């Protein structure tokens, strides 16, 4: 045993298991997944979440609710199976453990069990249709490739990851303050982005049109490689949502972090992109002339990007600029570099499938762990636990008889604990209240509907569903306990 | 019957009373059978005019004027009661007509909603508020205290749209944001904790959404009733009217020549080059080329020429001369002359046949050896481009025309051709080949001081 290997056995409980045996080579495969699903994946928590309180004993619970939720599995070899549904946590857990899916997606809750959808398709009255679905968002850092120079495509580092952080801040604040949503789960997508699940009852029951409206409310960045001007902020002032996002999040981040870290004004190639966004050619030329002359900021020790940005701002925001298009130019530049770029299609439709939290990303091996929006500055995608790392941690823990809460022995424990305390428990409490209130309201309604003094027997027979022969009904005096 | 009185001051300072029904229930009125049909046709003119305007991408101010003009031209009545009756009756008749397929329902819903939106805007704010309470919208007027605390933000929203927070707009309504998706989508409202703060002038959006949703459900119910009972019960009375209405052409029938009197044979060649729409040009060229036309082509071109002002004798002479290389004079008299006289109402049951409208021409499918039908629909892209160039359409305009063709807006394509060839706009759009001819002659006359 080498010194290194000896040092690896940090855990006091480990006595004689050599460090080498604990080491799990990096990777992603069915064998690793089998152990992950067997010991670490939080099946019960996922079930509780997806049940939204309907797995309780209260008479107002809808027992069919969980069974009407669609899941889809992507198996090894890219085999994709849709419309999976389960009636209990055991069914869900067994199916996952047995099939070992490389990816699990969550779809909507349908009007009937997806497994029975073919039986209903014939009637032509759209009986098989989504009825509930979380409001979801998907932000991918590869959509920001034109504003980050440190990485491209699927890569992510600590220089550019903050773009995701500020996206979370902007959207999360708006979802809570503007739209009044409370039960919001942010999840790392495992490689290069974040997902957002808004789980309030009101959110789950939004129509496609309402989802599209919310997506459009957030839609500011409108462009692709071919369009020149991707952010247009007309109007004398910004809408309060945009103004708040700018002053509380975007301006500070752009000026203090993105600008210097990505050297946005340091070289000609990079500052040309910004100059292109200035609609007044004479202003752009003036700046270009200045920056070409002063290749080095000789007068000050400050970062050249910050110096040049101040010059740009002072010209554009000086009282002399009368031109309409220049009024919001500074904000437009900041927005185009930093404002969240959402995938609109993901949010618009109820039937869009989205990857489940706590899945493992096949390309990186990282687990899709929740992110705390109140502490998202601290989140580091490069230290998210990987599959092999977790298995190694399990190994180090030694053999244990009880299979409960194995994740506590691993780095995953923190994530599961956060999921439960910050998201799941408050959500379930609220769901329980909702179910009780709704049930009580129905009770009250049916009490109001019936007036005992003049009710005829015929009416009685229609209103109740007798499980015993009608003859007996006539002799029974209806009592409140039926309800 | 829920009806709301509203008043509108026209530009000439006369008060126009317009009453906006909600069409919640069919009125217990007795309707004469002719009114059943005619009222519906008048309303259909309004809806089709609207549809045309939207298709042509008219700006909001232009649409507002268009709706007003269309309504005044077709639905106005000196007595307010009569106007309301016509409004309601025509709406319900058209519900029968347009409930029958998904596509028809979608079109009708879209047009009626647009019409409603414009008419709602004409109303005074009291009338608007009364309508809102009819719809039982879940709104609350914002208290003064709340308004004061939100004034800055509300002002910001207004200014972000280039408006100001005038004293009149101090009336705001608080609604759950789900009720006003289009205002949310456009960031035209301030939202806080799930509530949207809607200015009185934005209330239109609220109301229109309700109107639309109600009408959508009503149409489905109407369709069920139609299919299950009405269609069979009314098969001798209302059903034929209803079924004919949605395909009817609504413009003038051009069977009597109008302003330009007669056209004689010697004028035809000239006017064909300058004032014939593409469909007729093509037929005309083919007659000259082949010295023959099959029946469909003879009907389409022949009736068109009648509408243009060609008298019967000249028509007979024209066809006879064109067919001469292939058909002897005697054979012509035997086999073709009768039909031409028939078209002019001189034979048989003496019906004076009306020239075909665009709708009719577009709907036919020419077979082998045929040259009639609508070339925008049936020509290959290559042939159509060549034909347009021969007509003198610039390459830029050809692209616009082809764009309309690809989207299957054949009449709009013809309209753009007209505009390109004549250098002047055709606001009404082309609905009839004879209309094309008359408009063309009008333009040329005003340019040259004479009929070309």
């Amino acid at each position: 045993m080498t010194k290194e290997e000896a040092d690896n056995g940090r855990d006091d409980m480990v006595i004689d298991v050599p460090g080498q045996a604990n080491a799990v080579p990096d990777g992603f495969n069915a064998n690793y997944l089998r152990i992950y699903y067997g010991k670490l994946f939080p099946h019960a928590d996922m079930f509780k979440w997806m049940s939204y309180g309907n797995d309780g004993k209260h008479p107002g619970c809808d027992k069919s609710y969980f069974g009407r939720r669609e899941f889809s599995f992507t198996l090894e070899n890219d085999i994709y199976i849709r419309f999976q549904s389960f009636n209990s946590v055991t069914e869900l857990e067994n199916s996952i453990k047995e099939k070992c899916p490389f990816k699990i997606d969550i779809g909507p809750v349908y009007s009937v069990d997806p497994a029975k959808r073919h039986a209903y398709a014939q009637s032509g009255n759209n009986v098989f249709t989504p009825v509930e679905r979380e409001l979801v968002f998907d932000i991918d850092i590869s959509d920001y490739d034109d504003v980050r120079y440190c990485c491209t495509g699927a890569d992510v580092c600590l220089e550019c990851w903050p773009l995701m952080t500020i996206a979370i801040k902007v959207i999360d604040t708006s979802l809570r303050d503007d739209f009044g949503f409370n039960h919001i789960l942010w999840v790392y997508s495992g490689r290069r982005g974040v997902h957002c699940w808004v789980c309030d009852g009101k959110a789950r029951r939004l129509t496609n049109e309402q989802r599209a409206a919310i997506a459009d409310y957030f839609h500011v960045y409108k462009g692709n490689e071919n369009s020149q001007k991707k952010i247009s902020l007309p109007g004398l002032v910004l809408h309060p949502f945009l103004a708040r996002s700018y002053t509380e999040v975007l301006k500070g981040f752009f000026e203090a972090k993105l600008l210097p870290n990505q050297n946005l004004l340091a070289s000609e190639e990079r500052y040309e992109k910004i100059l292109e966004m200035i609609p007044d050619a004479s202003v752009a030329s003036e700046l270009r002339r200045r920056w070409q002359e002063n290749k080095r900021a000789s007068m000050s020790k400050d970062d050249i990007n910050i110096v040049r940005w101040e010059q740009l701002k002072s010209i554009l925001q000086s009282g002399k600029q009368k031109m309409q298009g220049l009024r919001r130019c500074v904000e437009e530049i900041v927005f185009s570099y930093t404002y969240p770029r959402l995938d609109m299609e993901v949010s618009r439709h109820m039937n869009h499938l989205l990857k489940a939290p706590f899945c493992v990303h096949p390309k990186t091996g990282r687990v899709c762990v929740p992110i705390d929006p109140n502490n998202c500055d601290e989140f580091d995608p490069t230290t998210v636990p990987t599959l092999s790392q977790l298995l190694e941690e399990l190994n180090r823990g030694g053999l244990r008889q009880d299979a409960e809460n194995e994740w506590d022995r691993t780095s995953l424990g923190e994530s599961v604990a956060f999921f439960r305390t910050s998201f799941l428990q408050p959500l379930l409490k609220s769901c329980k209240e909702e179910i009780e209130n709704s049930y009580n309201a129905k009770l009250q309604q049916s009490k109001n509907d019936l007036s005992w003094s003049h009710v005829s027997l015929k009416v009685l027979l229609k209103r109740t569903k007798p499980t015993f022969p009608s003859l007996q009904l006539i002799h029974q005096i209806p009592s409140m306990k039926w309800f | 019957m829920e009806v709301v009185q509203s008043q509108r001051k026209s530009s000439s300072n006369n008060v126009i009373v317009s009453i906006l029904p909600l069409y919640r229930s069919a009125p217990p009125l007795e309707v004469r059978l002719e009114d059943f049909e005619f009222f519906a046709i008048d309303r259909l003119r309004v809806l089709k005019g609207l549809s045309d305007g939207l298709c042509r991408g008219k700006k909001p101010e232009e649409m507002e004027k268009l709706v007003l003009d269309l309504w005044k031209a077709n639905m106005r009545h000196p007595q307010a009661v009569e106007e309301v009756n016509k409004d309601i009756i025509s709406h319900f008749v058209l519900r029968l007509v347009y409930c029958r397929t998904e596509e028809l329902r979608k079109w009708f819903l879209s047009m009626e909603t647009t019409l409603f939106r414009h008419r709602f805007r004409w109303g005074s704010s009291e009338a608007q508020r009364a309508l809102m309470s009819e719809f039982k919208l879940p709104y609350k007027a914002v208290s003064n205290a709340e308004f004061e605390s939100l004034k800055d933000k509300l002002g910001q929203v207004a200014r972000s749209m280039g408006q100001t927070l005038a004293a009149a707009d101090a009336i705001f309504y608080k609604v759950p944001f789900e009720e006003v998706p289009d205002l949310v989508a456009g960031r035209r409202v301030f939202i806080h904790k799930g509530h949207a703060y809607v200015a009185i002038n934005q209330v239109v959006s609220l109301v229109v959404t309700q109107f639309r949703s109600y009408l959508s459900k009503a149409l489905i119910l109407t369709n069920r009733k139609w299919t299950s009972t009405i269609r069979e019960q009314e098969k001798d009375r209302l059903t034929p009217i209803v079924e004919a209405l949605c395909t009817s052409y609504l413009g003038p029938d051009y069977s009597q020549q109008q302003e330009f009197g007669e056209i004689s044979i010697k004028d035809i060649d000239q006017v064909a080059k300058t004032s014939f729409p593409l469909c007729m040009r093509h037929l005309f060229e083919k007659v000259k080329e082949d010295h023959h036309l099959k029946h469909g082509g003879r009907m389409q071109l022949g009736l068109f020429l009648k509408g243009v002002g060609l008298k019967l004798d000249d028509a007979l002479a024209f066809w006879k001369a064109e067919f001469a290389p292939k058909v002897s004079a005697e054979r012509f008299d035997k086999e073709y002359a009768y039909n031409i006289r028939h078209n002019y109402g001189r034979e048989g049951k003496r019906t004076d046949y009306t020239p075909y409208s665009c709708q009719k021409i577009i709907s036919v499918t020419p077979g082998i050896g045929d040259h009639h039908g609508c070339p925008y629909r049936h020509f290959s892209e290559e042939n159509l481009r060549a034909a347009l160039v021969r007509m003198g359409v610039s390459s830029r305009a050809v692209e616009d025309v082809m764009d309309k063709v690809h989207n299957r807006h054949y009449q709009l394509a013809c309209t753009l051709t007209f505009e390109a060839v004549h250098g002047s706009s055709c606001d009404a759009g082309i609905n009839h080949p004879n209309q094309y001819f008359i408009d063309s002659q009008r333009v040329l006359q005003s340019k040259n001081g004479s009929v070309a």
Side-chain angles (χ1 to χ4, degrees):
Chain A
M1 198 161 50
T2 66
K3 185 170 190 305
E4 259 173 38
E5 286 162 350
D7 285 341
N8 276 343
R10 269 180 256 126
D11 193 334
D12 286 337
M13 300 267 276
V14 176
I15 304 166
D16 55 7
V17 181
Q20 192 135 53
N22 287 339
V24 175
D26 238 5
F28 178 91
N29 55 60
N31 290 327
Y32 287 3
L33 270 184
R34 196 161 294 121
I35 304 175
Y36 178 74
Y37 287 134
K39 290 180 183 285
L40 296 174
F41 184 84
H43 303 275
D45 294 82
M46 296 296 281
F47 169 77
K48 284 212 190 80
W49 172 23
M50 290 286 122
S51 298
Y52 287 96
N54 285 298
D55 56 329
K57 306 266 190 311
H58 194 278
C61 290
D62 176 356
K63 297 278 177 227
S64 74
Y65 187 84
F66 182 71
R68 292 186 280 117
R69 167 81 67 170
E70 177 190 2
F71 293 87
S72 77
F73 291 166
T74 307
L75 309 178
E76 200 164 6
N77 300 325
D78 281 335
I79 300 171
Y80 181 63
I81 41 180
R82 267 196 78 173
F83 297 113
Q84 303 296 290
S85 58
F86 313 101
N87 290 313
S88 67
V89 61
T90 322
E91 274 184 40
L92 171 73
E93 188 170 345
N94 288 344
S95 184
I96 292 178
K97 283 179 178 168
E98 185 217 333
K99 295 193 169 70
C100 233
F102 276 28
K103 184 160 85 109
I104 304 174
D105 287 298
I106 302 177
V109 178
Y110 283 91
S111 50
V112 294
D113 184 339
K116 304 197 180 96
R117 65 191 182 281
H118 296 302
Y120 291 87
Q122 314 296 338
S123 59
N125 267 346
N126 282 330
V127 182
F128 178 68
T129 187
V131 293
E132 278 194 20
R133 203 273 190 280
E134 295 75 7
L135 174 64
V136 292
F137 297 96
D138 180 353
I139 309 177
D140 197 320
I141 208 164
S142 59
D143 287 338
Y144 292 75
D145 280 356
D146 61 315
V147 298
R148 54 180 189 142
Y149 296 99
C150 48
C151 309
T152 54
D155 297 325
V156 155
C157 70
L158 286 178
E159 295 294 319
C160 54
W161 178 261
L163 285 165
M164 295 288 100
T165 307
I166 55 172
I168 294 177
K169 286 186 187 175
V170 167
I171 303 292
D172 189 75
T173 308
S174 182
L175 287 171
R176 288 176 205 273
D177 290 357
D178 300 344
F179 290 98
F181 294 126
N182 295 308
H183 302 286
I184 303 173
L185 178 70
W186 288 92
V187 186
Y188 174 52
S189 73
R191 187 160 65 152
R192 60 188 186 188
V194 294
H195 296 160
C196 175
W197 298 76
V198 184
C199 303
D200 298 54
K202 257 195 350 170
R204 304 198 307 270
R205 290 183 283 271
L206 290 170
T207 63
N208 286 350
E209 187 192 5
Q210 289 158 344
R211 284 160 208 267
I214 298 178
D216 284 331
Y217 179 83
F218 289 137
H219 195 200
V220 180
Y221 181 84
K222 295 171 192 197
N224 53 41
E225 312 88 68
N226 299 320
S227 42
Q228 188 95 338
K229 197 143 188 278
K230 299 161 195 185
I231 297 260
S232 180
L233 301 173
L236 301 168
V237 302
L238 295 177
H239 183 279
F241 158 62
L242 299 177
R244 176 190 68 216
S245 304
Y246 181 72
T247 48
E248 286 181 11
V249 182
L250 302 178
K251 176 177 196 284
F253 171 75
F254 179 82
E255 293 184 348
K257 295 267 161 57
L258 195 66
L259 189 56
N261 291 352
Q262 298 286 341
N263 282 309
L264 295 177
L265 291 171
S267 68
E268 182 172 342
E269 187 201 342
R270 297 199 188 173
Y271 67 58
E272 272 306 319
K273 273 179 60 177
I274 293 188
L275 290 178
E276 258 167 23
M277 296 188 211
I278 302 176
D280 185 332
S282 62
V283 169
S285 321
E286 167 64 25
L287 287 165
R288 192 177 288 117
R289 187 188 58 78
R290 266 199 235 178
W291 296 343
Q292 273 167 352
E293 283 170 20
N294 304 328
K295 288 246 156 71
R296 295 195 62 78
S298 50
M299 292 293 286
S300 80
K301 289 194 229 95
D302 292 329
D303 186 291
I304 189 174
N305 298 289
I306 297 185
V307 168
R308 286 180 173 175
W309 179 248
E310 290 302 320
Q311 288 174 347
L312 184 149
K313 275 202 298 185
S314 81
I315 284 195
L316 284 176
Q317 287 173 338
S318 82
K320 288 187 235 145
Q321 299 304 344
K322 297 287 178 217
M323 183 177 164
Q324 187 77 5
L326 286 183
R327 250 190 215 128
R328 301 263 77 83
C329 191
V330 172
E331 284 94 332
E332 283 174 357
I333 295 173
V334 173
F335 270 78
S336 37
Y337 275 84
T338 60
Y339 184 86
R341 301 179 184 187
L342 306 174
D343 185 340
M344 293 287 136
E345 284 314 304
V346 169
S347 312
R348 280 189 212 280
H349 299 287
M350 282 176 97
N351 56 11
H352 193 104
L353 293 154
L354 192 64
K355 182 161 67 174
F358 294 106
C359 280
V360 182
H361 197 293
K363 300 227 171 65
T364 60
R366 296 208 193 268
V367 180
C368 300
V369 293
I371 301 176
D372 182 357
N374 295 325
N375 272 328
C376 49
D377 287 311
E378 316 283 316
F379 181 80
D380 180 351
T382 62
T383 60
V384 170
T386 62
L387 186 54
S388 48
Q389 175 193 338
L390 291 173
L391 297 187
E392 198 173 301
E393 288 168 357
L394 273 181
N395 276 354
R396 266 193 254 125
L399 293 169
R400 287 265 277 259
Q401 284 312 316
D402 60 67
E404 292 288 321
N405 296 341
E406 298 253 16
W407 47 67
D408 271 341
R409 298 197 278 134
T410 68
S411 318
L412 199 59
E414 204 182 306
S415 296
V416 176
F418 171 77
F419 179 79
R420 287 177 175 178
T421 51
S422 296
F423 170 71
L424 192 57
Q425 279 156 13
L427 172 66
L428 293 181
K429 180 161 178 278
S430 159
C431 286
K432 194 168 156 215
E433 275 165 22
E434 207 179 299
I435 291 176
E436 278 175 10
N437 291 340
S438 159
Y439 181 74
N440 290 336
K442 278 207 192 90
L443 258 186
Q444 193 57 43
Q445 185 65 32
S446 57
K447 276 193 202 157
N448 294 340
D449 285 345
L450 277 167
S451 67
W452 291 107
S453 45
H454 302 291
V455 74
S456 67
L457 275 171
K458 225 169 153 190
V459 169
L460 256 180
L461 284 167
K462 276 196 201 148
R463 282 196 189 273
T464 60
K465 291 195 182 101
T467 52
F468 29 72
S470 331
L471 204 56
Q472 257 183 297
L473 199 62
I474 295 170
H475 299 294
Q476 279 210 339
I477 299 167
S479 71
M480 299 303 253
K481 76 171 176 352
W482 283 26
F483 300 93
Chain B
M1 191 162 66
E2 314 90 331
V3 142
V4 177
Q5 278 260 13
S6 70
Q7 304 203 324
R8 172 179 155 83
K9 288 205 177 338
S10 75
S11 53
S12 60
N13 272 329
N14 293 326
V15 171
I16 299 173
V17 173
S18 70
I19 294 172
L20 191 53
L22 293 180
Y23 315 113
R24 285 295 172 91
S25 50
L29 297 168
E30 288 200 344
V31 187
R32 295 203 317 256
L33 207 57
E34 313 88 80
D35 288 342
F36 188 90
E37 187 174 358
F38 295 150
F39 286 178
I41 288 181
D42 283 342
R43 192 185 193 88
L44 202 48
R45 274 192 241 272
V46 175
L47 296 183
K48 289 211 169 168
L50 256 181
S51 176
D52 204 50
L54 289 171
C55 242
R56 309 189 77 212
K58 280 200 192 297
K59 297 203 249 342
E61 318 83 61
E62 295 173 314
M63 281 305 293
E64 254 203 72
K65 182 166 184 308
L66 179 64
V67 176
L68 191 53
D69 291 341
L70 284 167
W71 189 264
K72 273 201 264 200
N74 294 292
M75 299 293 289
R76 271 277 134 82
H77 196 286
Q79 289 166 287
V81 172
E82 295 300 323
E83 188 172 328
V84 173
N85 284 345
K86 182 172 174 181
D87 185 355
I88 298 178
I89 291 167
S90 59
H91 172 90
F92 278 94
V93 173
L94 287 184
R95 269 203 210 176
L96 283 176
V97 177
Y98 282 89
C99 69
R100 296 166 302 133
T101 72
E102 178 67 35
E103 209 176 304
L104 290 175
R105 286 196 291 271
K106 222 167 116 169
W107 183 85
F108 182 69
L109 188 61
S110 186
M111 294 309 124
E112 280 285 337
T113 305
T114 306
L115 179 62
F116 182 82
R117 181 184 300 124
H118 282 97
R119 292 178 69 199
F120 182 83
R121 280 222 195 89
W122 302 341
S124 68
S125 41
E126 291 87 53
Q128 290 177 348
R129 249 193 295 215
L131 256 173
M132 278 170 62
S133 64
E134 282 294 333
F135 277 112
K136 299 187 179 36
L137 291 172
Y139 68 90
K140 295 189 228 50
V142 166
S143 69
N144 281 338
E146 198 177 1
F147 177 73
E148 283 305 313
S149 71
L150 294 172
K151 206 161 69 167
D152 284 335
K153 294 272 167 16
L154 296 174
Q156 234 183 317
V157 175
R159 273 178 296 141
S160 78
M161 297 188 285
Q163 296 165 12
T164 53
L165 200 61
D169 290 337
I171 303 165
F172 273 80
Y173 293 101
K174 194 167 153 177
V175 262
F177 77 87
E178 297 97 316
E179 302 288 329
V180 286
D182 39 344
L183 293 178
V184 169
R187 287 192 295 273
R188 299 203 290 279
V189 278
F190 176 65
I191 320 180
H192 185 64
K193 293 291 182 204
H195 287 106
Y197 291 81
V198 183
I200 184 76
N201 63 357
Q202 290 173 317
V203 143
V204 181
S205 166
L206 277 167
V207 174
V208 170
T209 313
Q210 293 290 316
F211 177 82
R212 194 195 165 94
S213 135
Y214 178 79
L215 184 56
S216 175
K217 294 190 194 116
L219 279 173
I220 308 256
L221 289 173
T222 308
N223 184 35
R224 277 196 207 141
K225 267 203 256 180
W226 171 261
T227 340
S228 62
T229 47
I230 308 178
R231 183 173 57 193
E232 185 53 38
Q233 265 173 24
E234 290 291 340
K235 71 175 190 288
D236 298 320
R237 197 172 64 141
L238 297 181
T239 305
I241 300 177
V242 166
E243 283 176 352
L245 267 171
C246 68
T247 53
S248 63
Y249 162 71
L250 299 171
D253 62 10
Y254 300 104
S255 54
Q256 319 298 328
Q257 328 84 313
Q258 295 178 2
E259 301 146 46
F260 294 97
E262 301 152 19
I263 296 279
S264 71
I265 287 196
K266 61 178 167 49
D267 300 327
I268 295 187
D269 282 333
Q270 181 58 23
V271 296
K273 283 204 198 67
T274 59
S275 298
F276 277 16
L278 184 57
C279 50
M280 302 306 174
R281 259 177 83 110
H282 179 63
L283 284 167
F284 191 76
E285 283 170 14
K286 283 296 169 187
V287 149
K288 294 263 171 200
E289 207 180 288
D290 300 340
H291 302 292
H292 190 264
L293 264 188
K294 292 178 106 175
H295 180 260
R298 293 201 303 275
M299 289 300 283
Q300 188 173 314
L301 182 59
L303 288 172
F304 171 74
L305 291 174
K306 182 174 83 143
V308 153
L310 194 64
K311 299 218 109 24
L312 176 60
D313 296 326
D314 279 348
L316 287 164
F318 165 76
W319 289 102
K320 196 168 191 171
E322 295 302 332
F323 280 24
K326 290 201 177 151
V327 178
S328 71
E330 294 90 24
R331 213 184 111 207
F332 181 85
D333 287 336
K334 226 160 65 165
E335 295 177 22
Y336 296 97
Y338 179 87
N339 280 322
I340 297 171
R341 282 205 299 281
H342 203 280
N343 286 349
Y344 279 75
R346 306 296 172 81
E347 299 284 358
K349 61 182 167 139
R350 313 284 156 139
T351 316
D352 201 5
Y353 287 96
T354 55
Y356 297 161
S357 65
C358 288
Q359 200 163 16
K360 182 150 183 187
I361 293 175
I362 290 173
S363 69
V364 306
T365 308
I368 312 247
D370 281 329
H371 298 294
H372 60 285
C374 178
Y376 295 99
R377 184 174 168 211
H378 293 292
F379 274 22
S380 70
E381 173 144 354
E382 215 176 283
N383 288 346
L384 186 53
R385 282 174 182 271
L388 290 170
V389 166
R390 272 206 313 278
M391 271 181 91
V393 178
S394 72
S395 51
R396 180 84 193 279
V398 168
E399 293 312 314
D400 292 336
V401 172
M402 292 315 297
D403 178 62
K404 293 293 177 202
V405 169
H406 292 143
N407 287 319
R408 293 196 253 152
H409 297 313
Y410 307 118
Q411 286 168 250
L412 292 178
C414 190
T415 311
L416 285 179
T417 307
F418 179 97
E419 291 182 343
V421 165
H422 294 79
S424 70
S425 73
C426 173
D427 282 331
I430 298 296
N431 293 309
H432 198 295
N434 287 88
Q435 175 207 354
Y436 185 109
F437 180 82
I438 289 179
D439 287 349
S440 169
Q441 289 287 290
R442 211 176 270 146
V443 168
L444 292 170
Q445 185 180 55
S446 70
K447 280 191 184 161
N448 303 336
S450 64
V451 174

